[in-house]
Amino acid sequence: MGEDRKEGLSRRKFLLGAGALAAGAAVTGGALGGVKESLAAGQPVKVTVNGVEIAGPVPARIEKGTALAPVRPLAESLGARVGWDNSSKTVTITAGTGAKVATAPAWPWPYNKLDPEKVRKLGYEAYYEGGCMYGAAKAIIGALQQEVGYPFTLIPVDMLRYGEGGTAGWGTLCGALNGSSAAITLVCGKGVYSQLVNELLGWYTQEPFPSKKHEAYSKFKNQIQNVSGSPLCHISVTEWCKVSGKKVTDPERLDRCGKLTGDVAARAVELLNAQADGKFVAAYKPSELFAGCMSCHVGKDSTLNNVQGKMNCVQCHEPHIK
Amino acid sequence: MGEDRKEGLSRRKFLLGAGALAAGAAVTGGALGGVKESLAAGQPVKVTVNGVEIAGPVPARIEKGTALAPVRPLAESLGARVGWDNSSKTVTITAGTGAKVATAPAWPWPYNKLDPEKVRKLGYEAYYEGGCMYGAAKAIIGALQQEVGYPFTLIPVDMLRYGEGGTAGWGTLCGALNGSSAAITLVCGKGVYSQLVNELLGWYTQEPFPSKKHEAYSKFKNQIQNVSGSPLCHISVTEWCKVSGKKVTDPERLDRCGKLTGDVAARAVELLNAQADGKFVAAYKPSELFAGCMSCHVGKDSTLNNVQGKMNCVQCHEPHIK
């Protein structure tokens, strides 16, 4: 073992927590790494954890090519608890998952470009596991869990199940938008995520759903499409039921929303990929009529600055200037 | 050190990652734990990680009351990487945050009852850090991070910043509801979170905001209240601006939403506490008129089953039955 094994090269990578059980077993059964064979037996050696030397009343040393170190400072500096079981004369180390030890790395987390078509299918499938918000987030974060692993493995995507049906069925924000926006924000810092989320919502209001890109695996084929003009689940689903003649709880409607979940997650990935390449350009433009509404009502530079939102006014309000 | 230090008792608890730097330093400077002084010097001793014995070509042993163990199996079974820097003759250990090592525990995560008034103030403060969705989630999850620690420390609450202004300013779902719902769902399993989230949204539509419970620390005192009748940011904020005469971007409006953020997070905690005590009872009832709309339009047992949502129809639609 020489320079090529300098910090960062490892023979095995293990999971913390329950995984550490398997890890311990694997270590017991596997070959154990000798350190520098050329060092004299018993020679003291430095041991660092994240660059900081650990020390004890008994120094770390090399014996038979193996580094030995004091258990407590080593284990505790890795976030584990150390105990002593007198009856079995055993030093008991408990990995950090049982205590206040692990934290998330600094936000935003580094993005790794994904395949939108892979994510589209994952979104469709995950919709049937946990609904639209979970489905979209699982498609993107789950793909990052598969392809990158840590730190994305820290995210319990289940915490986003509530967004189904526009949040517990209330028909507010489309859950696929809600879940995709969470995934976007996880990997984009200030000044970036809001641009991408804004673009995603704008695109959604003008896009025909569901796309025809799920035909190979979807339960229902060639479904009728609609452009809802709104990021609200209420309008998206109700209008689709109107044009399709299906009821809200029909399996065809569920399949339509499963496809939409994949479509929105895939679009989010296209935006993230463009951003990663430095090529993101906002394309969404409100209609001329709606832009007219906003010029008077929305934003600090508007005449009245008295309306909060970017949803198309004339879906619910009569236009008062023709 | 005797039986009372059996597995689970620890002198220090440290953070992984950046925290481990400080941890290492603290260990270097602090007293190091001797293990069983009565064991003969050099006597072999068992070392277990999460109950599984680690072993190596050189056995662990006690020396001068200190347990020594082979570095590689110990560190790797705790999810760290082990390397060797030949130039400085140093064993370099890198804590798990740099590699694919840590995963989230199974969902839902165990809830610990919180003080709603503490969370109300945290929500108000966090609103000014990252907006309403972040603020509400940070109030609840941040309090759990403080009071419980792991696993709540794994959640990068920043990923929920997008919900501000009803998601990137679009005026859809109130961000305080969105963030509180994520926190509720994190700690409530299937069949529970949707009841609590439904109750929270229903309560929100009938509650006067902001509450008068922030007077001790808020920037603006005794603000005018409104009941918006809707979970949508668009209606909540626009209607408040109408009754208060303030503009959307005025500091008074921001402070109103900061208070609302705390109020919604505090209500979510009241619901979670009731659930934890087995005393949660849904109290929200739609108005009689709206309940009439729903009996025909919403749900699989309704006559038409053609509308998705639980938002009060007559806020945007003319009632067609008097």
Side-chain angles (χ1 to χ4, degrees):
Chain A
M1 184 164 61
E3 285 295 322
D4 64 335
R5 289 192 52 76
K6 195 162 173 174
E7 180 160 329
L9 292 172
S10 168
R11 296 187 195 158
R12 310 174 196 86
K13 289 176 180 172
F14 297 113
L15 297 179
L16 270 177
L21 287 163
V27 167
T28 303
L32 292 162
V35 182
K36 201 68 184 174
E37 302 280 351
S38 63
L39 287 176
Q43 180 174 334
V45 69
K46 270 173 70 174
V47 177
T48 62
V49 172
N50 287 359
V52 176
E53 186 173 359
I54 63 166
V58 178
R61 93 282 303 260
I62 303 293
E63 275 190 24
K64 299 179 188 167
T66 293
L68 290 172
V71 169
R72 182 179 293 279
L74 173 52
E76 288 188 342
S77 67
L78 287 167
R81 292 174 295 157
V82 179
W84 170 251
D85 180 7
N86 198 46
S87 60
S88 61
K89 310 292 182 210
T90 299
V91 179
T92 56
I93 299 170
T94 309
T97 46
K100 300 176 184 182
V101 292
T103 58
W107 170 81
W109 292 2
Y111 177 66
N112 191 69
K113 283 172 69 179
L114 296 171
D115 173 7
E117 297 316 314
K118 177 185 170 180
V119 166
R120 193 185 309 275
K121 184 162 183 280
L122 285 172
Y124 174 83
E125 292 164 350
Y127 168 83
Y128 282 104
E129 284 170 31
C132 46
M133 184 181 190
Y134 169 88
K138 182 74 179 179
I140 303 171
I141 298 174
L144 290 166
Q145 288 173 342
Q146 283 173 16
E147 297 187 18
V148 179
Y150 178 92
F152 296 99
T153 45
L154 300 180
I155 303 286
V157 180
D158 293 283
M159 76 183 283
L160 302 178
R161 286 174 176 259
Y162 68 92
E164 184 171 27
T167 294
W170 277 68
T172 72
L173 178 62
C174 165
L177 287 172
N178 209 354
S180 296
S181 297
I184 287 172
T185 309
L186 181 61
V187 296
C188 292
K190 289 178 187 174
V192 177
Y193 69 80
S194 55
Q195 289 182 54
L196 268 59
V197 169
N198 185 66
E199 179 67 17
L200 188 69
L201 267 69
W203 165 83
Y204 179 102
T205 64
Q206 299 174 341
E207 184 73 6
F209 291 112
S211 79
K212 303 290 186 186
K213 297 179 178 173
H214 305 269
E215 303 298 293
Y217 50 79
S218 61
K219 296 184 184 181
F220 296 92
K221 315 293 179 190
N222 199 30
Q223 289 188 297
I224 196 165
Q225 298 176 309
N226 73 319
V227 177
S228 78
S230 171
L232 297 181
C233 164
H234 166 62
I235 298 179
S236 174
V237 171
T238 303
E239 291 295 317
W240 187 82
C241 288
K242 200 182 287 181
V243 299
S244 67
K246 299 298 174 188
K247 298 198 182 306
V248 173
T249 56
D250 281 348
E252 290 88 346
R253 199 282 295 171
L254 300 180
D255 211 49
R256 175 263 184 190
C257 284
K259 295 174 187 173
L260 178 150
T261 296
D263 292 338
V264 173
R267 181 63 185 158
V269 161
E270 288 173 353
L271 298 176
L272 286 169
N273 289 351
Q275 174 65 24
D277 289 338
K279 292 178 180 167
F280 168 72
V281 180
Y284 165 67
K285 292 270 184 295
S287 72
E288 200 174 326
L289 176 60
F290 174 38
C293 305
M294 292 176 85
S295 70
C296 278
H297 291 291
V298 179
K300 66 178 165 46
D301 298 327
S302 67
T303 317
L304 297 168
N305 186 12
N306 66 343
V307 171
Q308 165 62 24
K310 299 181 198 167
M311 295 188 285
N312 193 343
C313 307
V314 298
Q315 280 200 312
C316 301
H317 300 277
E318 282 293 317
H320 51 91
I321 296 176
K322 299 285 180 182
Chain B
M1 185 163 62
E3 285 296 322
D4 64 335
R5 289 192 53 76
K6 195 162 175 174
E7 179 161 328
L9 292 172
S10 167
R11 297 188 195 157
R12 310 175 196 84
K13 289 176 179 172
F14 297 114
L15 298 179
L16 270 176
L21 287 162
V27 167
T28 303
L32 291 162
V35 181
K36 201 67 184 174
E37 302 280 351
S38 63
L39 287 176
Q43 180 174 334
V45 69
K46 270 173 69 174
V47 176
T48 63
V49 172
N50 288 359
V52 176
E53 186 173 358
I54 63 165
V58 178
R61 92 282 303 262
I62 303 294
E63 275 189 24
K64 300 180 188 166
T66 294
L68 291 172
V71 169
R72 182 179 293 279
L74 173 52
E76 288 188 342
S77 67
L78 288 168
R81 293 174 296 158
V82 179
W84 171 250
D85 180 7
N86 197 46
S87 59
S88 61
K89 311 291 183 211
T90 299
V91 179
T92 56
I93 299 170
T94 309
T97 45
K100 300 177 185 183
V101 292
T103 57
W107 170 81
W109 292 2
Y111 177 66
N112 191 69
K113 283 172 68 179
L114 296 171
D115 173 6
E117 297 315 314
K118 177 184 170 180
V119 166
R120 192 185 310 275
K121 184 163 183 278
L122 285 172
Y124 174 82
E125 292 164 350
Y127 169 83
Y128 282 104
E129 284 171 31
C132 46
M133 184 181 190
Y134 169 88
K138 182 74 179 179
I140 303 171
I141 298 173
L144 290 166
Q145 287 173 343
Q146 283 174 17
E147 297 187 16
V148 179
Y150 178 91
F152 296 99
T153 45
L154 300 180
I155 304 286
V157 180
D158 294 283
M159 76 184 283
L160 302 178
R161 285 173 177 260
Y162 68 91
E164 184 171 28
T167 295
W170 277 68
T172 72
L173 178 62
C174 164
L177 287 172
N178 209 354
S180 297
S181 297
I184 287 172
T185 309
L186 180 61
V187 296
C188 292
K190 290 179 187 174
V192 177
Y193 69 81
S194 55
Q195 289 182 54
L196 268 59
V197 169
N198 185 67
E199 179 67 19
L200 188 69
L201 267 69
W203 166 83
Y204 179 102
T205 64
Q206 299 174 341
E207 184 73 7
F209 291 112
S211 80
K212 303 290 185 187
K213 297 179 178 174
H214 304 269
E215 302 298 293
Y217 49 80
S218 60
K219 296 183 184 181
F220 296 92
K221 315 293 179 189
N222 198 30
Q223 288 188 297
I224 197 164
Q225 298 176 309
N226 73 318
V227 177
S228 78
S230 171
L232 297 181
C233 165
H234 166 62
I235 298 179
S236 174
V237 171
T238 304
E239 290 295 317
W240 187 82
C241 288
K242 199 182 288 181
V243 299
S244 68
K246 299 297 174 188
K247 298 198 182 306
V248 173
T249 56
D250 281 348
E252 290 89 346
R253 199 283 295 170
L254 300 180
D255 210 49
R256 176 262 185 192
C257 283
K259 294 174 188 173
L260 179 150
T261 296
D263 292 338
V264 173
R267 181 62 185 158
V269 161
E270 288 172 352
L271 299 177
L272 286 168
N273 289 351
Q275 174 65 25
D277 289 338
K279 293 178 180 166
F280 169 72
V281 180
Y284 166 67
K285 293 270 183 296
S287 72
E288 202 174 324
L289 176 60
F290 174 38
C293 305
M294 293 176 85
S295 70
C296 278
H297 291 291
V298 179
K300 67 178 165 44
D301 298 328
S302 67
T303 317
L304 297 168
N305 186 11
N306 66 342
V307 171
Q308 165 62 24
K310 299 181 198 167
M311 294 188 285
N312 194 343
C313 306
V314 299
Q315 280 200 312
C316 300
H317 301 278
E318 283 293 317
H320 51 90
I321 295 175
K322 299 286 180 183

